[in-house]
Amino acid sequence: MTFTDDDRLELNELSNALVDGVITDVQRARLEHCLATSEEARRFYIRSMALSASLFDYASEMQSEAPDAPPVEAQIIRPAAWWWTIGSLAAAAAIVLAFWLGGAEQRKDADEIASATQDSEESIARLSGAKESRWSGTALQPGEELHRGQRIELASGFAEITFDCGAQVTLEGPASLELHSAWDAVLHRGTLKASVPPEAIGFRVSNASVNVVDLGTEFSMVADEHGATEVFVLKGAVEAAARDAAGNEGRPVVLREKQARRFARAGASEVGDREVKLARFMRKVALDRATLATNYVHWSFDETTGNLAAASVPGCEARLESTEENSLDAAHAAGYRQGGLQLDGQIFARAAVPGIHKRTARTVAFWVNIAAEAPLPDAGTILAWPVGGAGRGIEIDWNRNPNQGPLGALRTEAGRGFVVGSTSLRDGRWHHVAVVFSPKPKSEAAMQVRQYVDGRLESQSDRRFAKRVKAAKGGELLAGASDGYLWIGRGPGRKATDQFHGELDELFLADAALTPQEIRHLMRENKPATPEMLAAQ
C-alpha cells in the first residue's frame, strides 16, 4: 500500500474518531486494513506514540493536590488502543493541547500545580534484578524504586531495570543510564539490552548519536567513550534516527531482526562483527531478584444465586445489597470468565477486608464492561475504600467531566485529587483495569498512582492528595462507611442514585504495588504470578 497524502488525511480522520470514541465498525475495519497493509503507516503510528508518551510524562508532572476551586487537570492523551490507532503528530498534539492548555485561567492553575510538584520524587521504574553488581556511587538493591532524572552508574556486573510501562532494560557494566520517564531513557555509555512487550511499544532509548524507538522488540545498544553507538535488533524491529552534533535527527530507518547499524557523528555505517556481537547479546543472564511475599484476595463472582460472593480469603466474602427490595439474583450474570457481577444502579456489594484502611502499597485489578455511550449519570463508583481517618478514601470510576479528561476514561480519586486516563471504557467491551498505589515515605498526604488499561500504562501521578475531604458527596453516610470495607458499585456516603452501572468480574486486591509483568500475568492467566513464572518471561 502506497502511503499518500489522501491516506494521511483519512488516517487522521479515523484516529480522531477513535480517540473521540465515535468510530464505527466500518471505520475500525478500515483502520485495521491500513495498519496491516502499510509499513509507513505503522511507522507513522510509532512516531505518534513516542510524542504521546513524551506529552504524557510532561503532563503527569502537573497533577497535584487540587485547590479549593474545582480542580483543573493537566490531561494525558494517547491513542485509545495502541494496536488500532495511528494519527499525525499535529493531531496528537492538538488533542493534548486542547485538554492541557484550555485557557489562561487553566494555564495559571497548571503552572501552580507544576511548581508544587517539582520537588517530588516520582518513581518511574525499579531495579528488578542484579548479578555481581558493583556501583559507582550509591549501591542499589533489587526491588528498589528508581526515580525520574536518576542516573544509574554501574561499574561492573549486570542490572535489570523494569520501567513502569513494562519495558525491561538490562545494563552490563561499566554503563551509565539516565531515567527520563516511564517511557524513555538515555544511554550515556556502556551496553544495554531492552526487552519490550507489546503493551510498551513506543519505548525509547537515546543518546547523543542516535534515537531508538521500539516497534515491539528486543534490541541492544553499545555506546562507547567516543560518542558512537551500535544498535542491534535481536527480535522484531526498531526505528533508529541518527543525531548530529547539534542534536538534530536525521530520517529514521527501520532495523529488523538480526540487523545492526553503527551511528556516529561522521554518519551511519555497518557493524563489521555483527554476527559475533548478536550471538553474545542473545545469551541470557541469570539474575538475582527480590522476592517479596504478596497477599491477594480474589473474588471470581461465579455464583449464580444468593447474596454472597465468595473470596479466596475466608471472611472477605462480598455481601450483595440493593437500594430497592428486589431480588439479588439479577446481579449474577455471565462475566469475562464464567460468572460475573451485573450492577444496575441499585445493586452494590461490600466486603470486609482487614487492614484495607491502612496507608500502604496496594493494587486492585479487575475486568469491567460498560455499555457503549453509557449515560453520564451511570458513572458511579466502581470501587472504593477508606484510607486513614477523617473521611479520606480511594474511589475508582470512569470520567464524566469533559473538563478533566476524555469521557469514559478510567478515573482514580483520593480526596480532591484525581488522575484520569485516556482510553474510554464505555464501549460495550470488556477491559482489564489495574490501579497501583504507592504511598510516598516522606509525607502522610503524598501518593503515587499508576493506571493500567488492558495491560498498558495509561497515566501515573506523583501527587499530594487532599488533606481533608467531605465525608460524603450526598446523603447520609452508609452504615460502616468508616470501617474496613471494600465497596463495590457504590462509594461510602454516595446517594442511592449515584451508583455504578455495568459488569464486573475477577476482582483481585493485592497488598503490594504490582509490577507491569505481574499485572499482565493477572490479565492473561487470571492468577498471581510466581517468581519462577516472572523469571521465565
Side-chain angles (χ1 to χ4, degrees):
M1 173 182 174
T2 303
F3 197 56
T4 65
D5 289 340
D6 289 339
D7 293 328
R8 287 186 175 87
L9 292 174
E10 181 187 16
L11 291 172
N12 285 339
E13 180 180 353
L14 292 173
S15 61
N16 287 339
L18 182 59
V19 170
D20 292 339
V22 297
I23 192 167
T24 66
D25 290 341
V26 174
Q27 288 176 311
R28 191 182 296 275
R30 175 60 180 162
L31 189 55
E32 282 188 279
H33 175 75
C34 293
L35 286 173
T37 57
S38 172
E39 179 179 331
E40 187 173 355
R42 293 192 294 271
R43 292 201 302 268
F44 201 48
Y45 153 71
I46 292 300
R47 289 194 292 273
S48 177
M49 288 297 294
L51 173 65
S52 179
S54 298
L55 291 171
F56 153 82
D57 287 298
Y58 187 79
S60 67
E61 294 177 346
M62 307 181 78
Q63 300 178 25
S64 181
E65 176 180 350
D68 290 334
V72 177
E73 282 296 314
Q75 180 56 44
I76 304 155
I77 300 295
R78 69 162 181 81
W82 63 267
W83 54 88
W84 298 92
T85 308
I86 58 174
S88 69
L89 300 179
I95 294 170
V96 175
L97 292 175
F99 284 103
W100 179 44
L101 298 179
E105 189 64 28
Q106 292 183 351
R107 286 195 294 272
K108 178 181 177 182
D109 290 343
D111 290 340
E112 293 174 355
I113 292 171
S115 175
T117 59
Q118 283 178 350
D119 59 348
S120 63
E121 287 191 332
E122 180 185 358
S123 170
I124 58 172
R126 70 177 68 186
L127 186 70
S128 50
K131 183 178 180 62
E132 300 174 352
S133 302
R134 288 196 309 111
W135 306 92
S136 299
T138 304
L140 301 175
Q141 299 297 326
E144 188 169 337
E145 289 188 345
L146 306 176
H147 303 96
R148 180 189 296 273
Q150 185 171 351
R151 188 155 172 168
I152 310 302
E153 299 285 354
L154 181 65
S156 63
F158 298 87
E160 180 190 76
I161 298 167
T162 298
F163 287 77
D164 285 347
C165 70
Q168 283 189 323
V169 167
T170 301
L171 292 178
E172 181 178 355
S176 175
L177 184 74
E178 185 175 351
L179 311 183
H180 272 195
S181 76
W183 292 91
D184 70 281
V186 176
L187 179 65
H188 292 287
R189 63 185 177 92
T191 301
L192 168 154
K193 179 179 177 180
S195 177
V196 184
E199 292 84 1
I201 281 180
F203 179 74
R204 179 177 61 188
V205 181
S206 62
N207 60 19
S209 59
V210 66
N211 179 41
V212 178
V213 178
D214 160 76
L215 304 182
T217 184
E218 287 186 8
F219 67 92
S220 288
M221 295 173 63
V222 181
D224 63 27
E225 64 274 14
H226 303 297
T229 303
E230 295 177 342
V231 179
F232 303 83
V233 180
L234 309 180
K235 294 180 182 178
V238 302
E239 185 179 82
R243 285 179 166 175
D244 60 22
N248 300 314
E249 291 188 11
R251 183 180 180 84
V253 296
V254 174
L255 302 178
R256 305 186 185 282
E257 186 170 335
K258 303 298 179 61
Q259 291 183 333
R261 190 69 62 88
R262 177 182 173 85
F263 297 88
R265 292 185 178 179
S269 61
E270 297 295 328
V271 178
D273 52 353
R274 174 176 59 89
E275 294 294 338
V276 174
K277 291 182 177 178
L278 279 170
R280 172 194 166 200
F281 296 136
M282 291 295 288
R283 294 197 302 265
K284 285 195 172 184
V285 179
L287 301 172
D288 299 324
R289 304 178 184 276
T291 55
L292 300 176
T294 301
N295 299 306
Y296 291 82
V297 185
H298 175 212
W299 295 267
S300 66
F301 303 122
D302 287 341
E303 293 79 12
T304 57
T305 60
N307 67 340
L308 286 179
S312 60
V313 175
C316 294
E317 296 80 9
R319 181 174 296 276
L320 276 60
E321 304 177 40
S322 177
T323 56
E324 303 291 338
E325 293 185 1
N326 298 329
S327 171
L328 295 174
D329 288 345
H332 304 288
Y336 182 78
R337 292 176 181 265
Q338 299 184 41
L341 196 60
Q342 174 82 41
L343 301 173
D344 60 1
Q346 297 178 345
I347 297 174
F348 62 97
R350 53 177 173 160
V353 180
I356 194 172
H357 66 283
K358 294 181 179 179
R359 185 181 171 275
T360 184
R362 199 175 306 282
T363 302
V364 290
F366 54 92
W367 288 91
V368 66
N369 188 348
I370 300 170
E373 302 303 319
L376 298 187
D378 288 359
T381 301
I382 302 174
L383 295 176
W385 64 90
V387 175
R392 298 176 188 167
I394 302 291
E395 292 190 10
I396 300 173
D397 52 27
W398 58 267
N399 181 48
R400 59 182 171 186
N401 186 343
N403 294 322
Q404 296 176 353
L407 294 176
L410 181 64
R411 185 180 187 277
T412 300
E413 177 180 348
R416 291 171 297 169
F418 62 90
V419 59
V420 179
S422 56
T423 297
S424 176
L425 302 178
R426 54 174 193 154
D427 57 5
R429 302 183 180 188
W430 285 98
H431 291 278
H432 187 264
V433 168
V435 186
V436 182
F437 301 88
S438 301
K440 309 303 288 185
K442 297 181 180 180
S443 172
E444 286 297 318
M447 177 84 74
Q448 183 166 336
V449 179
R450 303 175 184 88
Q451 294 190 150
Y452 294 80
V453 174
D454 298 327
R456 184 174 176 88
L457 177 67
E458 279 221 322
S459 49
Q460 63 182 15
S461 173
D462 181 16
R463 53 184 310 152
R464 188 173 299 277
F465 286 138
K467 295 183 180 180
R468 62 182 185 277
V469 58
K470 294 180 180 179
K473 293 189 176 181
E476 296 299 322
L477 280 174
L478 300 178
S482 60
D483 296 336
Y485 284 102
L486 171 68
W487 294 79
I488 303 171
R490 179 175 183 173
R494 294 288 198 181
K495 292 180 179 179
T497 56
D498 196 14
Q499 294 182 197
F500 174 66
H501 293 66
E503 297 174 281
L504 200 68
D505 200 8
E506 304 300 345
L507 171 61
F508 285 85
L509 175 66
D511 63 352
L514 298 185
T515 66
Q517 288 74 19
E518 290 172 315
I519 290 171
R520 292 199 305 271
H521 190 88
L522 274 182
M523 177 179 70
R524 294 167 182 166
E525 305 298 331
N526 199 44
K527 61 183 179 181
T530 65
E532 293 75 21
M533 292 175 181
L534 296 175
Q537 290 184 2

